[in-house]
């Protein structure tokens, strides 16, 4: 007998019929003799609707009150699912986040879970009930309702699985797993049966938005086996676990990409200690996140310094940089917001030389110019012109034999 935490996203609970379908799936799991705790999101579109309602009152809703309204979406689905289970003769009980003491900090709209009191849930399970918990919400130490940020139900599910020492946390969604890359770009992309937390973090942060990133970090920290699978098709999905020595690893697990990048360069800055800090300091102060950073080897007494930011921050970053460049006496500032980042991801690349050269060769064969390169232990990223995104991803998918 196992203890399973299942999470169903908004598209899986978007109508009474769909909620009935979820109830059937929960019953099927339970009839195997397992205990089930279910976490649900709000019905699809509901969180956006609530946000719009709040914004119709004021363009800047107070964060605390926004959480009060946003948390109602999940309160609806927990009750409906619990009713659907009871209507099928299955004892069930619904709880809001506060009722099962999902204690968070007080950062409204993006609170972090600090503690969960699993007692009440355990008692219900012992009495043979299915426990249905509202995702995405918690309560702070003062009793205020908080929410965890968009997609936060994934994190609720993982946190509950960790607190209950569950055997597995299953994230049911509208895709049947994690793919080698986006199937809309490469139709031959293959579902991965196994991936490590580390790889998933790289894939997720680079745009494979199947799971809230924080939920993967949480799962990794508490070693919760996490499975992504489809609500609408049977199948094993993708299991996300920690790297294991015995694991037969492909060199490359997947290709992630990010269309939201922009790059900025300062040319001819003095090659002196402190300059990099001077350039990035004001950018950081403006709360602009920097991704890749490259500084060239200095030829004379000056050097060039390039970094990338989110495209939405491009104009703001450019203004700040022009100002800094002026102060530093740099020669010139330029930028490009029509670039993308493509990354090869795989824990297997640690032990295989030659991955980078194979990657660069595959791109060269398509006459794709690489504008920037960066590497980490399990990732190689290149920045290329936006128009080469599809071609580049397809070429790499092919070169590394990732297709079915
Ligand atoms: N309902 C919330 C959202 O739409 C949380 C979630 O679905 O995970 O972001
Ligand atoms: Mg979601």
């Amino acid at each position: 007998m196992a203890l399973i935490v299942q999470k169903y996203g908004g598209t899986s609970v978007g109508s009474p019929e769909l909620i009935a379908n979820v109830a059937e799936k929960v019953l099927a799991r339970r009839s195997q003799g397992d205990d089930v705790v279910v976490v649900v999101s709000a019905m699809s579109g509901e969180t956006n609707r609530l946000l719009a309602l709040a914004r119709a009152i004021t363009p800047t809703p107070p964060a605390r009150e926004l959480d009060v309204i946003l948390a109602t979406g999940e309160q609806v689905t927990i009750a409906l699912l619990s009713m659907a289970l009871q209507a099928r003769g299955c004892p069930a009980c619904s709880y809001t986040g506060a009722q099962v003491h999902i204690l968070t900090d007080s950062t409204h709209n993006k609170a972090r879970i600090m503690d969960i009191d699993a007692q009440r849930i355990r008692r219900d399970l012992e009495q043979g009930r299915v426990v249905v918990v509202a995702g995405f919400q918690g309560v702070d130490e003062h009793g205020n309702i908080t929410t965890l940020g968009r997609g936060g139900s994934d994190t609720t599910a993982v946190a509950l699985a960790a607190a209950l020492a569950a055997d597995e946390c299953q994230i049911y969604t509208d895709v049947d797993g994690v793919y080698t890359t986006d199937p809309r770009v490469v139709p031959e992309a293959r579902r991965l049966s196994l991936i490590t937390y580390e790889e998933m973090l790289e894939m997720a942060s680079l745009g494979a938005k199947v799971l809230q990133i924080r939920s993967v970090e949480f799962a990794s920290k508490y070693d919760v086996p996490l499975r992504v699978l489809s609500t609408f098709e049977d199948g094993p999905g993708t299991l996300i676990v920690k790297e294991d020595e015995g694991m037969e690893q492909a060199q490359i697990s997947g290709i992630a990409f990010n269309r939201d990048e922009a790059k900025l360069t300062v040319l001819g800055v003095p090659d002196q200690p402190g300059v990099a800090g001077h350039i990035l300091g004001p950018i950081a102060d403006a709360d602009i996140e920097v991704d890749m950073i490259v500084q060239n080897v200095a030829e004379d007494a000056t050097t060039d310094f390039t970094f990338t930011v989110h495209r939405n921050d491009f104009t703001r970053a450019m203004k700040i940089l022009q100002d800094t460049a002026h102060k530093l006496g740099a020669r010139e500032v330029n930028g490009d917001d029509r670039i993308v980042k493509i990354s090869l991801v795989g824990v297997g690349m640690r032990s295989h030389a030659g991955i980078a050269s194979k990657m660069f060769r595959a791109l060269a064969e398509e006459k794709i110019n690489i504008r920037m390169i960066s590497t980490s232990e399990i990732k190689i990223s290149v920045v290329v012109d936006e128009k080469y995104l599809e071609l580049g991803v397809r070429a790499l998918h092919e070169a590394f034999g990732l297709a079915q």
Side-chain angles (χ1 to χ4, degrees), residues 45-60:
E46 179 64 5
T47 307
N48 288 338
R49 188 184 73 87
L50 295 168
L51 255 177
L53 264 180
R55 289 191 180 135
I57 297 288
T58 161
T60 50

Side-chain angles (χ1 to χ4, degrees), residues 7 9 41 151 154:
K7 180 258 171 174
S41 292
D154 296 338

Side-chain angles (χ1 to χ4, degrees), residues 125-196:
L125 291 173
E126 275 158 23
Q127 287 165 8
R129 297 192 185 101
V130 168
V131 179
V132 185
V133 181
F136 175 58
Q137 55 177 268
V139 63
D140 76 0
E141 57 176 338
H142 309 294
N144 297 303
I145 295 173
T146 55
T147 66
L148 311 179
R150 299 310 301 268
S153 299
D154 296 338
T155 301
T156 304
V158 173
L160 277 171
L164 292 162
D167 296 282
E168 194 169 291
C169 180
Q170 304 179 333
I171 307 287
Y172 279 93
T173 179
D174 47 10
V175 294
D176 67 350
V178 180
Y179 277 68
T180 48
T181 194
D182 188 339
R184 282 168 301 189
V185 173
V186 183
E188 301 79 29
R190 178 174 48 88
R191 180 181 52 79
L192 294 159
S193 48
L194 198 69
I195 184 172
T196 68

Side-chain angles (χ1 to χ4, degrees), residues 37-40 78 93 95-97 100 102 121 131-135 156 160:
V37 173
V38 190
V39 173
V40 284
I78 52 169
C93 194
Y95 293 109
T96 64
V100 286
I102 299 184
I121 298 176
V131 179
V132 185
V133 181
T156 304
L160 277 171

